[in-house]
Amino acid sequence: MMKIGISCYPTVGGSGVIATELGMLLAEQGNEIHFITSSLPFRLNRVNPLIVYHEVDLNHYPVFQYPPFDLALANKMAEVIDREKLDILHVHYAMPHAICAILARDIAKHDVKIVTTLHGTDITVLGVDQSFKKMITHGIEQSNAVTAVSNSLVKQTKEMLGITKDIDVVYNFVNENEYKKKELSGIKKEYGIKENEKVLIHISNFRKVKRIQDVIQTFKKVSHYIDAKLLLVGDGPEYSNTCQLVDSLGLNDDVLFLGKQKNVSDLLSISDLKLLLSEKESFGLVLLEAMACKVPCIGTAAGGIPEVIEHNETGYIVDVGDTDKAAEYAVQLLQDDALRKQFSQNAYNRARKYFHSEIIVNQYLDIYDRVLARN
Ligand code: GMT
């Protein structure tokens, strides 16, 4: 049994999902889990006496021009390390969480080991603001172990920061009890989708990097040949631009904006194909969620996506921006029932073989054991 603290961004997003699901699975195995976050992690939906949530509270003193959230987090981490005698503090993102953890380790009296998981956002920050380079490098170098969610992210991190420290690749996983194909044909009808119509789906936080305009353009081309609907799940900065594009292409009747949704596996269960055409993506957790629900995927040759989709087996990989090719593959798959059935089974098999939660949780446990043995 270990005592593990976990810090992540608790709001919607793949890193928060992974951190929370990991904590819940570790607790099911008898480990004591302490979430230290700014609000209740949105995926924390199971009661377990071994899970405790510590909220980081921040007083707004007038002397501070900017409320020092990161310091408040480090302070809370140090308190929890000492009070609960944590063995491991597992933080998601080098910046700010690893930096806060390092400060907390310095402040705390009890010895704790820091494990940092990189999800790609540190690299995105660096791409925009090189002045954070020293800070992110420090977070990585001073962690007792560092993991990244794809080989591509390890390579990119090492290239951009010039670090030589070992980074373990630990892929993402899904909760298989939730992400499975369900027989829910009734939902199609509820959304006004005809039985013969194919369903394409895109799920994201509508950030620019997701290139939703390419999803729409691909769908437009597909809809010349196939009766289909496109489900857009999520919300974010590109929402209005996406609405405008859909409108200008005359696709209002065929593109359904569903906003943020909780039961994504239900929507995946009625989907025939998933599109993720991002220009940056360290893993693409939504792809794995789709694969677990037997949905083949078309993704771009960006970041870790080609490590998740096996081209020509579980879906297709296209160059970023190549909507002609994406549409060609989509039409090929949607017109051929036997091929789609094969791809959907392959996708499911691949999700279980390489990304099963049991495999991934054991990899994290091995890393915890390794850093604790270095005492
Ligand atoms: O994609 C986002 O904008 C959210 C971000 C996050 O912090 O959750 O996602 C990152 O981490 C996920 C979990 O490891 C990965 O599946 C996403 O690919 C990664 N996003 C990017 O690299 C853009």
Side-chain angles (χ1 to χ4, degrees):
M1 199 276 263
M2 279 182 241
K3 293 185 174 201
I4 304 161
I6 295 180
S7 278
C8 62
Y9 281 120
T11 48
V12 184
S15 60
V17 171
I18 292 298
T20 314
E21 291 288 352
L22 177 62
M24 290 192 289
L25 288 175
L26 289 168
E28 274 170 27
Q29 296 189 3
N31 300 289
E32 196 176 296
I33 301 299
H34 295 268
F35 285 102
I36 311 168
T37 46
S38 56
S39 59
L40 196 67
F42 75 104
R43 271 294 176 93
L44 194 51
N45 53 11
R46 271 168 267 160
V47 189
N48 185 319
L50 289 173
I51 299 179
V52 183
Y53 161 57
H54 306 264
E55 186 164 288
V56 182
D57 34 31
L58 190 54
N59 289 321
H60 291 262
Y61 299 111
V63 285
F64 294 132
Q65 192 178 358
Y66 303 106
F69 175 77
D70 299 343
L71 295 180
L73 173 61
N75 189 62
K76 184 63 116 187
M77 284 172 166
E79 271 176 34
V80 177
I81 292 169
D82 278 342
R83 191 173 345 109
E84 306 295 344
K85 307 269 177 287
L86 295 185
D87 300 301
I88 300 280
L89 184 51
H90 188 165
V91 294
H92 296 260
Y93 290 146
M95 215 187 86
H97 295 141
I99 299 296
C100 298
I102 291 161
L103 180 56
R105 186 179 58 188
D106 287 348
I107 298 168
K109 300 220 161 13
H110 178 75
D111 185 25
V112 72
K113 302 294 175 201
I114 299 171
V115 175
T116 296
T117 291
L118 306 175
H119 291 271
T121 321
D122 299 299
I123 295 304
T124 315
V125 168
L126 206 59
V128 176
D129 191 343
Q130 280 285 324
S131 64
F132 284 120
K133 192 169 175 178
K134 274 183 186 298
M135 180 85 89
I136 297 171
T137 306
H138 185 71
I140 291 175
E141 281 178 345
Q142 295 304 311
S143 296
N144 298 91
V146 179
T147 76
V149 296
S150 62
N151 286 297
S152 152
L153 183 57
V154 172
K155 190 165 174 277
Q156 216 186 346
T157 304
K158 289 190 167 184
E159 277 169 9
M160 287 187 78
L161 296 171
I163 50 170
T164 51
K165 189 184 176 85
D166 280 346
I167 300 178
D168 292 281
V169 174
V170 181
Y171 284 132
N172 284 336
F173 64 95
V174 295
N175 174 352
E176 290 85 10
N177 292 328
E178 187 187 333
Y179 284 92
K180 58 184 174 200
K181 188 167 176 69
K182 303 167 195 165
E183 280 317 315
L184 295 167
S185 49
I187 295 192
K188 249 178 125 165
K189 209 168 165 189
E190 284 168 27
Y191 279 95
I193 305 171
K194 296 190 198 90
E195 223 16 77
N196 68 309
E197 284 181 317
K198 296 286 184 269
V199 178
L200 291 84
I201 186 166
H202 169 83
I203 307 166
S204 76
N205 53 13
F206 280 54
R207 289 201 299 123
K208 243 188 164 49
V209 287
K210 305 291 174 181
R211 293 182 69 99
I212 305 178
Q213 75 275 18
D214 289 355
V215 173
I216 307 297
Q217 295 290 2
T218 301
F219 178 71
K220 168 90 184 158
K221 291 168 194 172
V222 170
S223 63
H224 283 308
Y225 303 96
I226 299 210
D227 288 333
K229 291 276 190 276
L230 172 65
L231 306 183
L232 291 179
V233 182
D235 201 348
E238 286 300 297
Y239 187 83
S240 304
N241 286 343
T242 310
C243 292
Q244 274 173 28
L245 181 63
V246 167
D247 192 40
S248 67
L249 293 175
L251 292 172
N252 280 326
D253 291 340
D254 295 325
V255 178
L256 280 64
F257 287 87
L258 305 187
K260 286 182 188 170
Q261 292 281 329
K262 262 204 182 298
N263 297 318
V264 171
S265 59
D266 291 4
L267 297 167
L268 286 166
S269 292
I270 58 159
S271 300
D272 299 288
L273 179 63
K274 162 146 193 88
L275 300 176
L276 186 69
L277 304 176
S278 317
E279 61 192 40
K280 285 197 178 92
E281 203 68 68
S282 62
F283 184 89
L285 182 59
V286 285
L287 294 170
L288 191 57
E289 292 175 346
M291 288 160 68
C293 296
K294 299 195 166 183
V295 182
C297 305
I298 298 181
T300 37
I305 292 180
E307 294 173 55
V308 184
I309 298 175
E310 190 178 1
H311 181 67
N312 237 344
E313 291 289 328
T314 71
Y316 299 103
I317 299 289
V318 299
D319 288 336
V320 173
D322 193 349
T323 57
D324 282 343
K325 200 74 198 164
E328 189 187 316
Y329 282 139
V331 170
Q332 180 178 312
L333 202 58
L334 294 171
Q335 280 181 335
D336 187 338
D337 286 349
L339 185 68
R340 204 174 56 258
K341 213 167 161 196
Q342 186 59 57
F343 271 43
S344 101
Q345 188 59 42
N346 293 349
Y348 174 77
N349 293 347
R350 184 170 171 78
R352 294 196 74 89
K353 186 168 174 193
Y354 296 103
F355 308 101
H356 196 282
S357 57
E358 220 175 278
I359 303 173
I360 307 302
V361 171
N362 282 335
Q363 286 178 0
Y364 280 122
L365 282 170
D366 285 348
I367 291 167
Y368 298 163
D369 282 339
R370 199 175 74 208
V371 297
L372 289 171
R374 275 187 200 158
N375 259 326

